[in-house]
Amino acid sequence: MYVCLCNAVTDKAIRKAVRQHNPHTMKQLRDLVPLGTDCGKCIRQARQIMVEERASI
Ligand code: FES
């Protein structure tokens, strides 16, 4: 599923980046995957996915 349509970033890409690099903040996540750079509508959902994935590690 696409989370960031502007940059074609999927939930799988976010989950993979979280598992591999364990980002703690949205800035750290955005350094790993290019989301939230245009309209910003994806930020809230991306944060939720990051939190979920970190909890499952
Ligand atoms: Fe992510 Fe627009 S959907 S910046």
Side-chain angles (χ1 to χ4, degrees):
M1 165 186 79
Y2 283 106
V3 175
C4 180
L5 290 175
C6 296
N7 295 295
V9 175
T10 63
D11 62 322
K12 279 186 180 176
I14 294 170
R15 291 181 192 282
K16 184 177 176 185
V18 170
R19 283 195 304 273
Q20 289 182 338
H21 302 282
N22 197 22
H24 286 68
T25 66
M26 282 304 292
K27 181 186 182 320
Q28 290 172 344
L29 178 61
R30 290 172 66 180
D31 286 344
L32 299 169
V33 286
L35 56 85
T37 57
D38 290 316
C39 73
K41 288 180 181 173
C42 55
I43 295 291
R44 200 168 80 183
Q45 187 177 10
R47 180 182 292 115
Q48 186 178 346
I49 291 169
M50 178 178 74
V51 169
E52 281 174 14
E53 197 63 26
R54 280 176 49 79
S56 73
I57 291 175

